[in-house]
Amino acid sequence: MTKAMAKKNTNWTPMILLVLGLSTIIFPLYLTIIIAFKQPSEMTNTIGGILALPKTWSLDNFKEAMEVTDFWHSLGNSLLITALSVGLSILIHSLMGYALGRNKAKNKFYGFVYLFIVSGMFVPFAILMMPLAKQTAELGLANWFGVILLYVVFYMPMNILLYSGYLVNIPMALEEAAKVDGASTWRTYWKIIFPVMRPMHATVAVLTALAVWNDVMTPLVIMAGSEQNTLPLAQLNFQSQFGTNYNLAFASYLLSLIPILVFYIICQKQILNGVVNGAVK
């Protein structure tokens, strides 16, 4: 292929869009890293001063940020809430998605329940915030356990939509063969359907984990005054009435990014399999 032909066949529009998309990710990440390593005296109001590299690369901001946020305690709370929320969501939502996905087309009741649950995606949290705060306080759930229950409910509509849609890739022949062999519906689900939906489990796990890990409002409203800070709540300490300590805040943001980034990398292969190939061909 000649250079003229290669140049003619090059589609520049996707390449330009790709570069623009990458810049929206790389540029904020670059700012976050360099500001996290800078000292407050190096922060200036000029663009060149903000974009410039630190004069000395020091971990002092990270050490101080860990002290201010009580990092290990806050990290433990975030890991506990996220892990339990993701685990319960996969177990409960996959089972509900299976029941509704297999029956909504042939039974009007299941179809109504499915639409009713999925419609919960359109209810903003601001409407539910104050009633939930009062109810959880009255029920003694103004703690991390109450927050986990709320997360399982909040992300139920989207997860059920994903699971029920993914069932289209799983042929009924698998379940019919299991019934012929004498397996009950419960055994068929746990032994055949649940393992086959592994790529969707990974997708739901990542989406739920990202939402829970970065959420501020729910723990702030429900656990206010309980001294059970998550990482996002602890990071509010960097903001005061008179300003924000950006150096410590950005250092803390990088620290909190590491666990969820590792989790995504672990699940990445399963997510790609679920999106591109499906469970059964």
Side-chain angles (χ1 to χ4, degrees):
M1 182 181 291
T2 64
K3 293 182 178 180
M5 294 178 61
K7 184 176 181 180
K8 184 178 180 181
N9 293 332
T10 301
N11 193 338
W12 290 103
T13 302
M15 293 183 65
I16 294 173
L17 293 176
L18 180 61
V19 171
L20 292 175
L22 287 174
S23 64
T24 61
I25 299 174
I26 295 175
F27 181 69
L29 184 60
Y30 169 78
L31 282 180
T32 302
I33 294 174
I34 63 172
I35 292 176
F37 283 94
K38 282 184 176 182
Q39 297 301 316
S41 58
E42 300 179 59
M43 299 289 292
T44 63
N45 294 327
T46 62
I47 296 179
I50 296 177
L51 297 179
L53 294 174
K55 295 179 181 178
T56 57
W57 295 83
S58 173
L59 297 176
D60 292 341
N61 289 334
F62 293 90
K63 295 178 181 178
E64 187 173 350
M66 293 178 69
E67 294 175 359
V68 172
T69 58
D70 191 9
F71 179 76
W72 295 113
H73 179 69
S74 301
L75 176 65
N77 288 336
S78 289
L79 288 174
L80 175 66
I81 292 175
T82 303
L84 291 179
S85 298
V86 169
L88 290 175
S89 294
I90 291 175
L91 291 175
I92 298 174
H93 300 164
S94 63
L95 185 59
M96 294 179 65
Y98 171 69
L100 295 175
R102 285 298 194 224
N103 295 285
K104 65 180 180 179
K106 54 186 178 182
N107 189 301
K108 292 183 179 180
F109 174 75
Y110 284 97
F112 171 77
V113 173
Y114 172 79
L115 293 176
F116 179 78
I117 294 177
V118 172
S119 64
M121 291 189 295
F122 305 103
V123 180
F125 178 74
I127 296 177
L128 306 173
M129 183 168 58
M130 295 311 297
L132 285 176
K134 184 176 181 179
Q135 291 176 4
T136 52
E138 291 178 351
L139 295 173
L141 296 175
N143 47 43
W144 60 267
F145 181 71
V147 171
I148 292 171
L149 290 180
L150 291 178
Y151 281 142
V152 173
V153 175
F154 288 161
Y155 304 122
M156 183 186 300
M158 176 59 73
N159 292 344
I160 287 180
L161 179 67
L162 293 173
Y163 275 120
S164 60
Y166 191 77
L167 283 170
V168 177
N169 295 321
I170 304 177
M172 287 293 297
L174 291 176
E175 299 172 52
E176 292 171 355
K179 290 181 180 179
V180 170
D181 292 337
S184 63
T185 302
W186 185 259
R187 186 176 180 83
T188 299
Y189 172 74
W190 288 113
K191 294 295 184 180
I192 298 176
I193 303 301
F194 189 81
V196 167
M197 290 197 297
R198 185 180 302 170
M200 185 50 63
H201 296 329
T203 303
V204 168
V206 170
L207 293 177
T208 304
L210 282 172
V212 173
W213 187 265
N214 296 317
D215 184 40
V216 177
M217 288 303 300
T218 305
L220 180 63
V221 172
I222 304 302
M223 299 195 304
S226 64
E227 298 182 357
Q228 294 178 331
N229 282 343
T230 60
L231 274 177
L233 278 183
Q235 289 167 350
L236 294 178
N237 293 329
F238 300 118
Q239 299 179 0
S240 66
Q241 180 180 358
F242 304 102
T244 302
N245 191 328
Y246 290 104
N247 303 96
L248 297 185
F250 280 46
S252 180
Y253 298 155
L254 284 179
L255 289 172
S256 64
L257 175 66
I258 295 174
I260 199 68
L261 182 62
V262 172
F263 180 68
Y264 174 78
I265 293 174
I266 294 173
C267 298
Q268 184 179 15
K269 183 178 179 180
Q270 290 294 334
I271 294 173
L272 292 176
N273 289 338
V275 173
V276 178
N277 298 323
V280 178
K281 291 186 178 181

